[in-house]
């Protein structure tokens, strides 16, 4: 399964890659613009996008809106360290597939991705 990670903090990006690369094909982008380019590569579309909300070229829920419009049908996991109750409600309304609080570590995120991978495999078998 191919995962596009949009994360501008190099430590967080490398930590995500280390955590996920043993099982998934992880592509990193540090800006929204780089992420949008990755979404347009023919035959290279990710199965899941994991994105921080605050990137150098996009801030807040608008980041999710732009990604959602650019990648309809691709689940977008918002990964941030600033999840207030109000932000959670807004991101749910905007269609985030999952909200990952960076302060919780990667276990829940990894389990979510493994579940998504199993779902994709099941769907491929039944096509």
């Amino acid at each position: 399964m191919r995962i596009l990670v949009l994360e501008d903090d190099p430590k967080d990006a490398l930590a995500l890659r280390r955590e996920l690369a043993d099982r998934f094909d992880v592509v990193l982008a540090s800006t929204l613009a780089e992420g949008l380019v990755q979404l347009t590569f023919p035959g290279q579309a990710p199965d899941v996008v994991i994105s921080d909300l605050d990137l150098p070229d996009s801030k807040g829920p608008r980041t999710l809106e732009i990604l959602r419009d650019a990648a309809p049908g691709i689940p977008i996991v918002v990964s941030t360290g600033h999840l207030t109750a109000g932000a959670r409600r807004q991101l749910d309304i905007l269609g985030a597939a999952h909200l990952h609080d960076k302060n919780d570590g990667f276990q829940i995120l990894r389990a979510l991705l493994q579940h998504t991978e199993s779902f994709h495999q099941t769907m491929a078998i039944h096509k």
Side-chain angles (χ1 to χ4, degrees):
M1 187 167 78
R2 185 177 178 87
I3 300 172
L4 173 59
V5 175
L6 281 78
E7 175 58 66
D8 64 324
D9 183 308
K11 288 189 287 185
D12 287 346
L14 292 175
L16 270 167
R17 176 180 272 168
R18 267 193 314 272
E19 181 66 28
L20 303 175
D22 66 323
R23 181 166 184 143
F24 306 106
D25 178 16
V26 178
V27 176
L28 298 177
S30 60
T31 66
L32 180 60
E34 289 175 19
L36 293 173
V37 168
Q38 291 293 329
L39 288 170
T40 63
F41 282 150
Q44 298 291 320
D47 298 296
V48 176
V49 175
I50 300 172
S51 181
D52 192 356
L53 284 181
D54 292 326
L55 299 168
D57 54 348
S58 184
K59 300 287 183 214
R62 183 74 181 132
T63 304
L64 174 59
E65 290 178 295
I66 293 167
L67 286 169
R68 188 196 59 220
D69 291 345
I74 297 176
I76 300 170
V77 175
V78 173
S79 180
T80 186
H82 312 288
L83 281 175
T84 64
R88 285 181 185 275
R89 281 191 300 279
Q90 186 175 14
L91 295 169
D92 281 339
I93 290 168
L94 291 174
H98 181 72
L99 304 176
H100 171 250
D101 189 330
K102 290 179 183 179
N103 301 313
D104 292 339
F106 298 118
Q107 289 179 332
I108 294 171
L109 180 61
R110 187 175 180 81
L112 171 75
L113 294 171
Q114 289 170 342
H115 175 74
T116 302
E117 180 182 44
S118 296
F119 176 77
H120 279 271
Q121 290 170 347
T122 301
M123 293 304 290
I125 290 170
H126 293 303
K127 281 188 177 181

